[in-house]
Amino acid sequence: MIGDAVKAGLLLFAAVLVQTGIFSALTVFGGSIDLPLVTLLCISLLRGSIFGAVAGFWAGLLLDTATLGTLGFTSLLLTVSGFWIGRYGETTARDRAHAPFLSVGVVTILYALGSLALHFFLGEPAPARAVLVDTLPPELALNLLLTVPVYALCRRLFPPAELSDRVREVRLLG
Amino acid sequence: MGVLVLLALVLITVSFRGSADGVQSFGATVLRPFEVGAERVARPFRDAAGWTHDVLNAKSQNKKLERQVTQLQQQVVASQSAVQENADLKRQLAYVDSPSFQKLARDYDVVATRVISQPTSRFEQSIVIAAGRSQGLRVRDPVVTAKGLVGQVTKVFSRVARVTLLTDPGSAASASVLTDPSTIGVVQHGQGSEETLVLDRVPKAKPVRDGDVIVTSGSPAGGELPSLYPRGIQIGLVSSTGDSDTEPFKQIQIDPSVDYSSLQSVLVLVPKQPLPIRP
């Protein structure tokens, strides 16, 4: 568990640095990749709700610190995202190949809506048309494309719990 | 989960009131070497992407620039005589001037610094730079590049600062047409892509043409509400103009001079005499 936490912490730290250094400057058809979000969702799917929530809080805190944004803003959104997808991973998503894509697709949309609402509540500019019409479709497509390599990497780093459970359940008879 | 959500809400509240600046400053200082390292690693890739983009657009840009050179050569001759005449007249009138971009050394200390974080969100068009209070930066200091206006400093820590770009929905700058300083308006973020700017509040009667250069208009010397930006910083070129019966002002779109998506280094203009803070 501690090993997983260290690995997840480092992976999300690297994802935040890559996001602030490279991906945020690259826009394709007006949208850009959200690497920390995709990484978090893949980790949550493989490690469950509590792990996902804590990882989301950590990733959000790093992002807000790196960009000198409002502390806690991204943490709130990523904590909820991580918990929800972690719960999905613990229940209906087991052994379903489409689960990572479904998770990333749905959460990318909800994350954009959540950010918009939170900015609105805080009295900050919240350009709904620009976010939902101009940016969201390309961002959704890019995030779904990114899911393939990121999920593959996460599966290597965080092998599904069922496999290790099965190994532990082996009994010698006789 | 509940505890983390509560903690996040507390952090938002504390941060929104500015009470978490110390913690954020410490965090930003710890992250700074990593961000600088990541920026160095990323630079060759960004350069490669920029090079490819430039090569693809080189031919059309070349034709456009040749046309511009011809126009500018004619303008230079006219400008040189105007500058000379202007200087003579100012001397005769003992004219007291407002801060100007052309007189940087007199009015501003210039801090050149590296960009360590690009805009990460569609909501906030801001960057993080590797200079802060230790280098003399203050909130509201103008930020420029050799190509034109970038934005203003909105948050300062000991060794890093946040710069809100002119393309942020909350940013605006008073501006005028270079060749007709009486045509004054407000440059702000427009609808469309992240880098769309518009010149608003220009009366329909004012003549504005495609290709006109838009610069910051500054403010009169000793004015009650001085502009943050000195006069004469280039913002961009007019890309299209239009009139609508339902709109009281001209609709003017600007093609920004600065490429806000690939800023690598910027200049912060620290006024030698800080602007008065008004409530």
Side-chain angles (χ1 to χ4, degrees):
Chain A
M1 185 67 179
I2 292 172
D4 279 352
V6 172
K7 276 191 281 184
L10 290 175
L11 189 62
L12 287 166
F13 183 73
V16 167
L17 287 182
V18 172
Q19 181 70 28
T20 53
I22 304 175
F23 285 159
S24 53
L26 295 175
T27 52
V28 181
F29 300 115
S32 56
I33 290 167
D34 195 338
L35 182 63
L37 179 68
V38 176
T39 311
L40 169 73
L41 297 180
C42 292
I43 293 172
S44 305
L45 211 50
L46 293 163
R47 279 296 172 268
S49 53
I50 302 298
F51 198 95
V54 176
F57 187 83
W58 165 245
L61 207 59
L62 280 176
L63 262 175
D64 288 336
T65 307
T67 59
L68 302 184
T70 305
L71 273 184
F73 187 98
T74 316
S75 288
L76 179 61
L77 293 168
L78 290 184
T79 301
V80 176
S81 305
F83 179 83
W84 191 49
I85 293 304
R87 196 81 194 107
Y88 174 55
E90 288 166 346
T91 53
T92 47
R94 280 171 185 270
D95 302 325
R96 291 193 180 170
H98 65 264
F101 300 98
L102 186 65
S103 308
V104 169
V106 170
V107 172
T108 301
I109 295 168
L110 292 179
Y111 184 84
L113 288 170
S115 304
L116 204 61
L118 211 48
H119 274 286
F120 180 75
F121 289 138
L122 291 174
E124 292 172 352
R129 183 186 169 277
V131 172
L132 300 178
V133 180
D134 301 335
T135 317
L136 187 56
E139 191 173 315
L140 182 63
L142 290 169
N143 282 355
L144 286 172
L145 279 175
L146 190 70
T147 306
V148 180
V150 173
Y151 190 67
L153 175 70
C154 288
R155 265 186 83 93
R156 281 184 74 88
L157 290 172
F158 308 96
E162 290 89 346
L163 287 174
S164 46
D165 285 351
R166 270 180 225 151
V167 173
R168 274 192 225 112
E169 282 169 12
V170 169
R171 298 277 186 276
L172 289 172
L173 301 171
Chain B
M1 151 83 174
V3 175
L4 290 174
V5 168
L6 194 66
L7 196 57
L9 288 171
V10 169
L11 275 175
I12 291 173
T13 311
V14 170
S15 179
F16 216 66
R17 292 174 179 219
S19 314
D21 283 359
V23 179
Q24 202 166 15
S25 176
F26 173 74
T29 309
V30 171
L31 277 178
R32 189 173 178 269
F34 296 102
E35 285 184 279
V36 171
E39 196 273 333
R40 280 191 188 148
V41 172
R43 195 183 302 163
F45 297 103
R46 281 219 299 267
D47 288 349
W51 184 82
T52 313
H53 180 261
D54 289 349
V55 166
L56 292 173
N57 294 309
K59 205 171 176 180
S60 60
Q61 278 216 330
N62 189 32
K63 278 184 185 169
K64 192 175 155 190
L65 290 173
E66 276 177 3
R67 274 199 304 274
Q68 276 189 355
V69 165
T70 314
Q71 287 175 351
L72 290 172
Q73 278 171 340
Q74 294 164 356
Q75 281 182 16
V76 162
V77 177
S79 300
Q80 279 173 343
S81 64
V83 165
Q84 188 56 48
E85 192 182 12
N86 187 20
D88 290 343
L89 290 171
K90 275 184 179 174
R91 207 169 26 250
Q92 287 171 27
L93 290 167
Y95 186 75
V96 180
D97 209 350
S98 62
S100 156
F101 191 50
Q102 279 74 35
K103 294 169 187 166
L104 278 181
R106 192 194 65 182
D107 300 318
Y108 295 92
D109 290 322
V110 179
V111 178
T113 180
R114 179 196 301 274
V115 175
I116 56 174
S117 168
Q118 303 285 336
T120 53
S121 135
R122 183 66 183 79
F123 299 95
E124 285 176 288
Q125 286 286 302
S126 59
I127 55 173
V128 178
I129 55 174
R133 208 174 289 118
S134 323
Q135 284 75 32
L137 268 61
R138 291 179 293 246
V139 171
R140 302 193 300 161
D141 285 347
V143 180
V144 299
T145 66
K147 289 182 176 177
L149 183 63
V150 171
Q152 62 166 305
V153 175
T154 48
K155 216 170 197 179
V156 186
F157 295 116
S158 64
R159 295 185 66 199
V160 290
R162 188 173 71 175
V163 175
T164 299
L165 304 179
L166 191 57
T167 48
D168 187 87
S171 288
S174 60
S176 63
V177 177
L178 180 66
T179 50
D180 179 13
S182 68
T183 304
I184 295 177
V186 176
V187 169
Q188 56 194 15
H189 181 260
Q191 286 188 338
S193 77
E194 285 133 353
E195 297 198 1
T196 310
L197 292 175
V198 293
L199 180 62
D200 201 5
R201 309 267 163 187
V202 175
K204 286 181 178 176
K206 292 284 184 184
V208 180
R209 287 173 294 275
D210 288 6
D212 277 354
V213 180
I214 304 298
V215 296
T216 50
S217 60
S219 51
E224 274 297 301
L225 287 170
S227 174
L228 295 176
Y229 306 110
R231 180 163 45 85
I233 306 175
Q234 185 164 336
I235 295 173
L237 301 177
V238 173
S239 58
S240 72
T241 58
D243 284 333
S244 159
D245 291 339
T246 53
E247 296 285 337
F249 300 106
K250 262 185 183 303
Q251 292 159 335
I252 303 168
Q253 282 222 328
I254 301 173
D255 185 14
S257 316
V258 175
D259 182 1
Y260 294 98
S261 64
S262 61
L263 290 166
Q264 293 188 359
S265 56
V266 292
L267 302 171
V268 183
L269 309 181
V270 182
K272 286 182 177 167
Q273 285 187 323
L275 290 169
I277 297 170
R278 295 181 190 282

